[in-house]
Amino acid sequence: MEDHKLFATLCAVFCLLLVTEVYGQINMEAFRNCIHEHSIEQETLKEIIRSGPKGRNQKCFTACAFTSFGVIKNEQISIEGCRKMVRLMHQTEEVTQKLYSIINTCEDEVISTDTCEMAGELVDCLFKNGVRLGE
């Protein structure tokens, strides 16, 4: 049962990173600009959430969104930006620490210096470590 709760929390974290405003801390105007700049339709956004970004445009959209959320800063993954998103969710200490561990794992596994590819690798890593969306 605890794994189910963690699974749901991981899904929620990723969804928050992509599509919602968390207590006014996310620059939603910049996020909307990312959607417009990359011509992302609602169905495409749902597909990105379900299975990750496919192709250059979707990866670049994801990089743009992560940048607007502070997850990518100065063309690098921002561990502090990721942790801020987790803290905004007000999870239990156990879940928070598990999410921090996944963030640290992904920081080590994402090797691309291209921000679009970096965003794609980050999503792949999150999925590989337990995040499954759209199920």
Side-chain angles (χ1 to χ4, degrees):
M1 185 65 157
E2 189 63 34
D3 286 340
H4 181 70
K5 289 179 185 176
L6 179 59
F7 167 80
T9 300
L10 291 170
C11 289
V13 167
F14 191 69
C15 285
L16 285 171
L17 287 173
L18 283 179
V19 297
T20 65
E21 184 170 358
V22 181
Y23 304 110
Q25 299 296 312
I26 294 174
N27 184 342
M28 291 306 289
E29 182 177 346
F31 178 68
R32 284 188 288 274
N33 288 339
C34 294
I35 290 172
H36 178 70
E37 178 182 335
H38 296 281
S39 302
I40 300 296
E41 301 292 331
Q42 184 175 358
E43 282 305 311
T44 304
L45 185 58
K46 287 178 185 178
E47 185 59 31
I48 292 170
I49 292 168
R50 274 192 297 272
S51 60
K54 305 294 183 235
R56 182 82 179 163
N57 187 58
Q58 290 182 15
K59 289 177 183 179
C60 289
F61 159 73
T62 304
C64 183
F66 283 172
T67 300
S68 72
F69 299 153
V71 171
I72 293 178
K73 289 184 181 176
N74 302 317
E75 300 181 354
Q76 296 181 345
I77 294 173
S78 168
I79 296 305
E80 186 52 42
C82 292
R83 287 179 176 218
K84 180 179 178 181
M85 295 300 294
V86 171
R87 285 192 304 271
L88 289 171
M89 294 184 65
H90 303 289
Q91 295 298 317
T92 66
E93 184 63 23
E94 180 182 350
V95 171
T96 296
Q97 291 307 315
K98 176 67 175 170
L99 294 171
Y100 285 175
S101 175
I102 290 171
I103 290 166
N104 290 335
T105 296
C106 291
E107 178 190 31
D108 293 338
E109 290 185 15
V110 173
I111 60 171
S112 183
T113 57
D114 175 275
T115 55
C116 298
E117 293 302 318
M118 181 186 305
E121 288 177 18
L122 178 56
V123 173
D124 288 347
C125 182
L126 292 171
F127 281 11
K128 183 175 85 174
N129 284 284
V131 176
R132 295 290 182 268
L133 304 174
E135 293 181 353

